[in-house]
Amino acid sequence: MSTIPEEKNLDNSLQLLREGFPFLHSRFQRFQSDIFKTRLMMQNVICLHGEEATKLFYDPEKFMRLGAIPKRIQKTLMGENGIQTLDGEEHRKRKAMFMSLMTRPQVTKVANLAADYWWAAIGKWEKMDQVKLFDEVQDLLCRVACQWSGVPLPEKEVRKRAQDFGDMVDGFGGVGPRHWKGKKARRRGEKWIMEFVEDVRAGKIYVAEDTPARTILFYRDTNGKLLDTYIAAVELMNILRPIVAIATYITFGALAMYTYPECRQKLQANEDNYAELFVQEVRRFYPFGPFLGNRVRQDFEWGGHHFKKGTLVFLDMYGALHDPKIWEHPDDFRPERFRTWDESPYNFIPQGGGDHYTGHRCAGERITIEVMKVAAIFMTHFMDYQVPPQDLSFSLVRMPTLPKSGFVMRNVRRIQIPVSTALSASPAATAYAYTGGGKCPFHHS
């Protein structure tokens, strides 16, 4: 039996906070191994890296989510006892419910809504001295998420709700004030959605049959029972919050267009679906999450190493996206690399790995991609803007991270383009019609 390389420190939690995203990656390099042991949160942790390790990590016979997600993350980012914490038949059934919301027509609805709100937002931004893209896109996506899902959102509440969703995401990797702010935001959000759940079930608010809200609120578990009010609220927020969180990727996409102007030019030409390649490279290149966690379901051996039941195991997500064994010149921003990507669900894991239907890979990954494409299309075809001097750096220590300025734009202007340049990269190109006359060029009938 091989010995797993091990750090001997009593606990490395503070070191994780000091090093941020590269924490695991640097140790894999130091040990020259795709596996090592450490101590985090006063627990023994086995850390894994690489495509074969990812296949192992997503084997439900060997791993489970029960007890793998710290309460501090559940109390900020995802809520307690939601789908991310489930295993077995209950997870399978509930995941099927989530995936029923991710059909092509549903994804197209979200993309269409995003396009409509982008067109409206540009009109608003034209009147502003400067635009902080991250904040504005959070608001835009909060409107999209609520309208699509069937949750009423008064205009006067948009900024508050969007900020709360943003604080939930920001709080998962923070300590002290950032974490407390995330917990308070989650409590406010849960109270809001729980009241909505109760009103819908009491018949005080009607939601349409084909909305995510209707599906989640009247979903029945493996015992044939409705989810209790709190869990229903958590799962509905697991639809809303991730859509708002796409604002981070969109902001990084804007940074990429500014940093690599040749990519902006290629987006404008959009040959061979370049928008898809571009957003995939944004998701690979820029950091979002550092690692994923599971617990060993039962004792087993792998690669000559012993895994003991109950051991916490982390999968290196950040390092997998910057691994030279998988990605040629991983520190270069090269969207074209995705022309030859083998589409393995185990080597490109910005939102988890494995199968969307049976595993814990993010159900809304396709929504993320299509909403990012809509953003890239609008920023390169339907608006013009200037980027004033600002601090666009981002820290790999801060988790999650973002360009410090939030990407500020000035002199935003709408651009009208002829129908002959309409884009094939839109999520449902045949459903979008360029109407001109001040209407959204992606307006859906």
Side-chain angles (χ1 to χ4, degrees):
M1 189 69 59
S2 302
T3 301
I4 299 176
E6 183 174 1
E7 287 191 306
K8 302 299 184 181
N9 300 344
L10 179 63
D11 191 84
N12 287 289
S13 299
L14 288 177
Q15 197 61 30
L16 169 62
L17 293 174
R18 291 191 189 103
E19 295 182 29
F21 285 93
F23 175 83
L24 295 187
H25 190 51
S26 65
R27 283 153 178 79
F28 289 121
Q29 292 177 318
R30 183 200 308 166
F31 289 121
Q32 292 292 296
S33 171
D34 284 345
I35 183 171
F36 74 90
K37 287 183 181 179
T38 188
R39 292 269 299 173
L40 294 167
M41 301 171 290
M42 300 306 294
Q43 300 181 67
N44 293 320
V45 182
I46 295 177
C47 303
L48 299 174
H49 170 86
E51 188 167 359
E52 293 305 311
T54 302
K55 292 177 184 178
L56 173 73
F57 185 83
Y58 282 98
D59 182 345
E61 298 298 318
K62 293 182 172 63
F63 291 98
M64 60 184 180
R65 280 295 176 94
L66 182 65
I69 301 175
K71 285 292 184 181
R72 68 184 316 276
I73 294 179
Q74 294 184 49
K75 290 180 178 180
T76 52
L77 181 64
M78 58 186 61
E80 297 184 73
N81 303 314
I83 187 170
Q84 299 94 337
T85 67
L86 299 179
D87 296 294
E89 181 61 19
E90 187 57 67
H91 175 263
R92 185 202 63 76
K93 190 172 189 299
R94 202 177 300 181
K95 187 63 178 287
M97 180 268 290
F98 272 94
M99 292 306 299
S100 75
L101 305 174
M102 304 301 162
T103 61
R104 184 183 296 272
Q106 289 285 10
V107 172
T108 298
K109 283 183 183 180
V110 178
N112 272 310
L113 285 169
D116 282 346
Y117 279 114
W118 265 95
W119 192 244
I122 298 169
K124 170 193 170 186
W125 299 343
E126 286 183 311
K127 302 177 180 67
M128 297 169 60
D129 291 335
Q130 67 177 30
V131 174
K132 184 177 180 181
L133 184 66
F134 179 68
D135 290 352
E136 291 293 325
V137 173
Q138 276 188 325
D139 291 358
L140 183 161
L141 294 178
C142 192
R143 293 183 180 97
V144 170
C146 288
Q147 184 171 338
W148 173 60
S149 65
V151 176
L153 180 65
E155 183 60 27
K156 65 181 180 181
E157 294 186 13
V158 171
R159 176 85 290 253
K160 176 175 69 173
R161 300 305 182 190
Q163 182 67 63
D164 275 351
F165 285 128
D167 288 343
M168 293 174 207
V169 175
D170 194 50
F172 89 83
V175 293
R178 265 179 64 202
H179 180 68
W180 303 331
K181 190 176 182 181
K183 286 176 65 175
K184 289 179 180 178
R186 172 151 287 279
R187 285 196 294 267
R188 282 192 298 268
E190 288 174 348
K191 182 176 184 295
W192 166 44
I193 298 298
M194 286 174 69
E195 290 174 356
F196 170 72
V197 171
E198 291 172 348
D199 286 346
V200 170
R201 287 177 171 174
K204 296 178 182 179
I205 297 176
Y206 171 76
V207 292
E209 291 288 341
D210 64 344
T211 58
R214 184 82 182 183
T215 299
I216 293 170
L217 270 55
F218 293 96
Y219 161 84
R220 293 185 179 274
D221 64 17
T222 53
N223 296 315
K225 297 181 180 179
L226 295 175
L227 300 174
D228 69 41
T229 300
Y230 173 76
I231 297 298
V234 165
E235 300 299 38
L236 185 50
M237 289 173 69
N238 276 329
I239 290 288
L240 302 173
R241 170 188 46 76
I243 293 177
V244 177
I246 302 171
T248 297
Y249 275 140
I250 289 173
T251 304
F252 275 125
L255 176 62
M257 292 178 215
Y258 178 71
T259 307
Y260 309 101
E262 68 278 9
C263 291
R264 181 179 180 83
Q265 293 170 3
K266 291 177 182 178
L267 281 166
Q268 289 172 329
N270 198 50
E271 296 178 355
D272 299 324
N273 201 12
Y274 185 81
E276 174 95 12
L277 309 181
F278 176 80
V279 302
Q280 294 288 50
E281 181 68 347
V282 169
R283 295 169 69 230
R284 185 200 69 82
F285 187 80
Y286 294 100
F288 198 101
F291 48 76
L292 300 158
N294 266 335
R295 284 198 184 272
V296 178
R297 181 181 293 276
Q298 57 190 2
D299 287 19
F300 71 91
E301 293 179 10
W302 176 80
H305 304 299
H306 183 71
F307 288 71
K308 184 178 179 180
K309 179 179 179 179
T311 302
L312 185 61
V313 176
F314 283 169
L315 178 68
D316 182 20
M317 183 161 58
Y318 172 79
L321 300 175
H322 297 81
D323 186 346
K325 291 181 288 187
I326 300 173
W327 311 103
E328 186 177 359
H329 301 292
D331 296 328
D332 293 346
F333 188 85
R334 296 183 177 183
E336 289 81 1
R337 72 174 77 246
F338 281 95
R339 292 199 196 283
T340 56
W341 173 49
D342 64 4
E343 299 190 31
S344 166
Y346 301 104
N347 62 22
F348 183 47
I349 55 172
Q351 291 176 257
D355 185 78
H356 289 97
Y357 287 87
T358 60
H360 282 278
R361 192 180 189 112
C362 177
E365 188 169 14
R366 196 68 222 177
I367 284 179
T368 299
I369 293 167
E370 298 302 335
V371 168
M372 289 177 68
K373 284 162 64 175
V374 168
I377 288 165
F378 268 84
M379 292 192 73
T380 53
H381 286 77
F382 303 116
M383 61 184 283
D384 189 22
Y385 56 91
Q386 295 175 349
V387 182
Q390 59 190 284
D391 188 352
L392 289 169
S393 66
F394 57 92
S395 170
L396 290 179
V397 173
R398 194 185 196 282
M399 300 182 294
T401 190
L402 190 76
K404 288 183 180 178
S405 65
F407 201 87
V408 173
M409 305 180 297
R410 289 181 183 162
N411 299 322
V412 175
R413 296 291 181 268
R414 271 181 177 164
I415 297 175
Q416 298 282 0
I417 67 167
V419 68
S420 61
T421 61
L423 302 174
S424 62
S426 58
T430 57
Y432 298 140
Y434 178 72
T435 60
K439 293 183 179 179
C440 172
F442 288 107
H443 186 74
H444 52 94
S445 57

